[in-house]
Amino acid sequence: MGAEELDALLGDPWDAENPLGYAAVLDADERHEMLAEGEQLLDRFCMNAEFVPVEYGGRFTRADRLAQIQRTLWRRDPCLGLGYGLSSFIASVNIWTSGDEDQRRRAAELLLNNGRIAAAFHELDHGNDFANAEFSAQRRDGRWLLSGRKEIVTNLRRADAVVLYARTGESVGSRSHSQFLVARDDLPAAGVRDLPRFLSSGMRGVQLGAMAFTDCPIPADSLLGAEGQGMESALRAYQITRSITPAVTVGPLDTALRAALGFALDRRLYGGVAADIPYVRSVIARAYADLLAVDAFSAVVLRALHLSPAIALYAPAAKYLTSRIALDAFEELRSVLGAQGYLRQGPYAIFQKMARDIAPATFAHISRAGCLVMILPHLPRLARRAWLQGSPAAEELFDLEGELPPLNPARLTVGVPPADGLMGTLAEIGGRDSDGGAVSRFATRFLDELRSLRDECAGLPPRDITISAAPEAFALADRYTVLLAAASVLAVWDQAGARYGDAELIGVLDRLAGRLGGRSVLTTAERESTEDKLFAAAAQHCLDRRLFDLTARRVPGEGRQP
C-alpha cells in the first residue's frame, strides 16, 4: 500500500457523486465534523500501520514514504490528515524513541487495530514553552498522581491512549519534565473530566479537546523513558514530525493551485479568459515555483533524517520557511480567485477550506518564532567553524529517488550540530566556474549571501542568540533558512540531471532570492520568459491530471477539473 493506492481509493475529488470527493469534504466541514466515510476508508487502508515500525508489525520504514502518503490525504482533506493521521503519529513517535519494549508493543497493537493515541503536551498558558509547563505528575504510594489541564489536544476525547507531558521536578532546566503513556481506560472517572471542545476556524472537523486532572492516579509503569528526560525525548521525536509536516503541506497547496488554475482557465473576462492576463499567469507561475521549493527542501530534510541524523537544525528551518512560503502562496492565489476564494459553495469552494486549514497546520506543533529560537543559538558557532570550510553533504542526500536505510530514531541527536553539510554544498556549487547562465548567477548570488551571513552571525553577541534577541538577529536566522532551501534546490536539480526542468529551477531560485532582497538576478525579459514557461508547465500538469510536485504523478480524474 502506498500513495498511489490511497489516491485510487479516494477517487476523483471533483466528482460530486464521490462520497470521498471535495463536495463531501466541504459538507463535513460545514458541520464541523470529520468525514465519516473518509475515516472508514482509512480504517480499511490501515493508515495507522504507516505510523508503526516494521519490527512491530507496521509499514513505517522511511520518512519520505510516510510524507507522500500523508500528502495524498492532506491534498483531499487536511482534517483527515491531522485528525486521523498525524495526531496519532506525533504521539507514537515519542513511544518508539523512548518507550520500553512492552510500551512499544502495546502502542503498536492499539494502532494496528485502528485505535488512536493523542499527544497531550499543550497548555494554553504556556503554548510551545514546554520548559515551563505546569501540568504535574507526583510519585505517591507506588504510582503517579496527575494534576492540571491539557488543552487544544487533537482527538483527546476520542483517543484510546494518551502521551502526557508533565512536570516531575521543581528545578529549572531541561530535566524537570517527563512523559507518560496512559490508556484512557486506566484514568479513573473521579480523577479526570473532559472539558468542552475547542472550535476553530481552520481544521473545523478536527476534535480539539481538553481535560482537567485532579490527583488522578496512573500506574507506575506509565513513565515513558527515564524520569526527567521528557523534553529530550520530545526534541528527538520532534525532529521526525517537524520534518514530515513541511512535506505534507505540499498537498493542500497542490489543491489550491489546481483550483486557482482551473478558475483562471475557465473565467471569461474582457473577451478572453482570466489566464490571458499577465498578472494572473505570473501569480500561477510563482505559486508553482513556491510549491516546488517546498517539495525539494522538505525532501532533502526528510532524507537527512536517515543519512545525517546529527543535524538538528534542518527540521525547524524547514518548518519555518515552508510555512511562510505556503501562506504567501495562498494569499497570492486568492488574488486570482477574487470573491471565489472566499465562497463556501461552488466549484472552487475547496480553495477557502484549504486556505483555512493550512493556517493552523503551519504553526501547530511549533510556531514559526519558536523555530527561529531553536536555530539562532547555533549560528555563531556554525558561522565560525562550519560554513565555507566544511565538507559538502553526501550526494545521496539529494537523490530523491535513491534508496535509504531504515529510519533509526535512536540515532537522532538534540545537541549542537557538529557540521552543516548543506552550507558546504552551497559553497561547493557556488564556487564553480560560472558559465554566465541564470543558474550560475543564482549560485554566485547565494554564495555571496552566505559569506555576508557568516560575517554577521560570527559577530553576534551573547544577548542576541537568546529568545530576547533583537529583531535583526532573528532576521539572520530567517536568511539562513532561505540559504538551506537554495542549497537543497540547487543540489537536487544538479543530482537529477535532466529529470526536472530548467525553467522550474530558475523560477524556484528566483523566488528564494526574492526573499533575501537586493538586486534581482534575472532581467525583466528573463523573468517574463521563465514565468511563461512555468505557467505553461503548470497548465499542462493540470490538463494531464498530474501532481505539481517533483513526482508529477498522475492522480484520479479525467482531464482538467473542475
Side-chain angles (χ1 to χ4, degrees):
M1 303 291 277
E4 291 188 50
E5 291 80 4
L6 179 58
D7 242 336
L9 290 171
L10 290 169
D12 184 354
W14 302 100
D15 180 0
E17 302 302 317
N18 180 1
L20 300 166
Y22 289 145
V25 168
L26 289 165
D27 285 344
D29 184 68
E30 289 296 312
R31 299 191 303 270
H32 291 254
E33 296 175 359
M34 295 285 287
L35 181 62
E37 292 84 353
E39 293 200 297
Q40 293 163 11
L41 179 143
L42 295 175
D43 281 346
R44 298 193 299 272
F45 182 80
C46 200
M47 175 62 79
N48 283 355
E50 303 297 337
F51 311 147
V52 178
V54 291
E55 57 264 37
Y56 296 103
R59 302 194 289 257
F60 181 45
T61 56
R62 289 178 52 156
D64 57 346
R65 179 184 183 278
L66 174 57
Q68 285 290 340
I69 291 172
Q70 278 292 301
R71 180 185 293 182
T72 298
L73 185 56
W74 283 64
R75 198 172 67 250
R76 183 61 53 96
D77 182 9
C79 288
L80 283 174
L82 175 62
Y84 190 107
L86 280 186
S87 58
S88 285
F89 180 66
I90 289 170
S92 65
V93 170
N94 294 276
I95 303 169
W96 316 136
T97 56
S98 302
D100 60 31
E101 189 68 13
D102 180 63
Q103 288 170 328
R104 293 176 184 178
R105 293 196 178 279
R106 283 190 285 121
E109 181 180 5
L110 186 158
L111 289 171
L112 293 175
N113 284 308
N114 292 327
R116 298 183 180 89
I117 306 177
F121 283 56
H122 195 270
E123 301 169 26
L124 271 175
D125 287 344
H126 300 288
N128 295 137
D129 185 11
F130 293 136
N132 288 308
E134 296 180 40
F135 184 92
S136 68
Q138 296 181 334
R139 286 186 183 272
R140 190 178 301 171
D141 300 328
R143 55 186 180 176
W144 295 93
L145 296 182
L146 305 178
S147 295
R149 295 163 69 102
K150 288 296 181 182
E151 297 148 316
I152 316 185
V153 177
T154 301
N155 284 337
L156 188 55
R157 187 185 290 266
R158 304 198 303 164
D160 302 284
V162 182
V163 173
L164 287 153
Y165 183 83
R167 176 175 290 279
T168 51
E170 296 303 321
S171 61
V172 177
S174 61
R175 299 294 182 183
S176 58
H177 292 79
S178 306
Q179 293 187 33
F180 298 84
L181 173 61
V182 187
R184 181 67 189 250
D185 290 343
D186 288 338
L187 295 174
V192 62
R193 61 189 175 93
D194 284 301
L195 301 175
R197 174 187 172 185
F198 289 90
L199 297 178
S200 56
S201 60
M203 297 284 188
R204 293 199 295 195
V206 174
Q207 305 289 309
L208 298 176
M211 276 185 177
F213 296 75
T214 305
D215 291 332
C216 180
I218 59 173
D221 62 0
S222 300
L223 183 67
L224 267 178
E227 183 178 347
Q229 292 187 346
M231 183 176 294
E232 180 179 335
S233 298
L235 290 175
R236 185 178 292 110
Y238 283 172
Q239 288 185 57
I240 300 174
T241 54
R242 289 171 181 168
S243 296
I244 289 175
T245 303
V248 165
T249 60
V250 173
L253 185 52
D254 185 292
T255 297
L257 177 56
R258 201 171 301 273
L261 185 51
F263 172 83
L265 293 170
D266 288 341
R267 177 65 165 168
R268 304 297 301 181
L269 285 173
Y270 311 116
V273 294
D276 295 332
I277 301 172
Y279 171 78
V280 170
R281 297 170 68 88
S282 179
V283 168
I284 296 292
R286 294 196 298 261
Y288 177 36
D290 287 341
L291 184 150
L292 292 173
V294 173
D295 190 21
F297 186 21
S298 61
V300 169
V301 172
L302 287 171
R303 293 183 66 82
L305 285 173
H306 296 257
L307 300 171
S308 304
I311 300 299
L313 297 188
Y314 293 169
K319 182 70 163 62
Y320 168 80
L321 182 62
T322 59
S323 64
R324 281 193 61 203
I325 291 174
L327 290 174
D328 291 347
F330 266 89
E331 282 306 304
E332 290 200 32
L333 288 172
R334 196 190 294 275
S335 70
V336 170
L337 286 151
Q340 293 283 352
Y342 295 91
L343 295 184
R344 286 155 51 179
Q345 294 179 325
Y348 310 103
I350 194 62
F351 180 90
Q352 58 82 30
K353 172 173 164 55
M354 292 293 171
R356 284 187 289 104
D357 287 354
I358 196 68
T362 60
F363 66 74
H365 207 19
I366 186 173
S367 67
R368 292 190 295 281
C371 290
L372 294 184
V373 169
M374 294 186 67
I375 294 169
L376 192 53
H378 303 296
L379 295 185
R381 177 191 170 278
L382 290 173
R384 290 191 295 267
R385 301 184 183 182
W387 298 346
L388 300 174
Q389 53 192 3
S391 300
E395 290 184 354
E396 59 187 335
L397 186 63
F398 310 107
D399 181 6
L400 304 191
E401 297 184 0
E403 292 299 316
L404 286 172
L407 180 62
N408 183 359
R411 294 181 61 207
L412 298 174
T413 61
V414 297
V416 178
D420 194 339
L422 283 182
M423 292 299 94
T425 295
L426 182 60
E428 190 273 327
I429 294 176
R432 296 174 185 172
D433 291 337
S434 176
D435 60 8
V439 175
S440 291
R441 290 171 4 232
F442 274 115
T444 300
R445 166 73 177 88
F446 290 123
L447 179 57
D448 289 343
E449 182 70 21
L450 177 58
R451 292 190 178 107
S452 174
L453 186 66
R454 176 198 58 183
D455 295 341
E456 294 178 71
C457 288
L460 277 174
R463 68 176 181 275
D464 275 343
I465 58 173
T466 70
I467 196 170
S468 301
E472 292 78 11
F474 281 98
L476 297 179
D478 174 278
R479 287 161 57 193
Y480 172 68
T481 68
V482 175
L483 292 182
L484 287 178
S488 299
V489 169
L490 283 164
V492 163
W493 257 264
D494 195 49
Q495 184 75 11
R499 193 185 312 157
Y500 311 129
D502 291 340
E504 285 82 350
L505 173 58
I506 294 171
V508 172
L509 295 177
D510 188 42
R511 294 292 284 167
L512 291 173
R515 293 186 174 275
L516 296 172
R519 180 179 299 177
S520 173
V521 172
L522 297 181
T523 65
T524 300
E526 287 175 325
R527 179 172 290 113
E528 290 176 352
S529 174
T530 297
E531 291 184 348
D532 281 344
K533 293 175 183 176
L534 286 174
F535 177 85
Q540 192 63 51
H541 277 60
C542 196
L543 180 64
D544 294 343
R545 296 296 289 162
R546 293 187 179 277
L547 295 177
F548 294 114
D549 65 23
L550 291 170
T551 70
R553 179 171 58 80
R554 285 190 64 88
V555 290
E558 295 296 331
R560 176 170 57 82
Q561 301 287 346

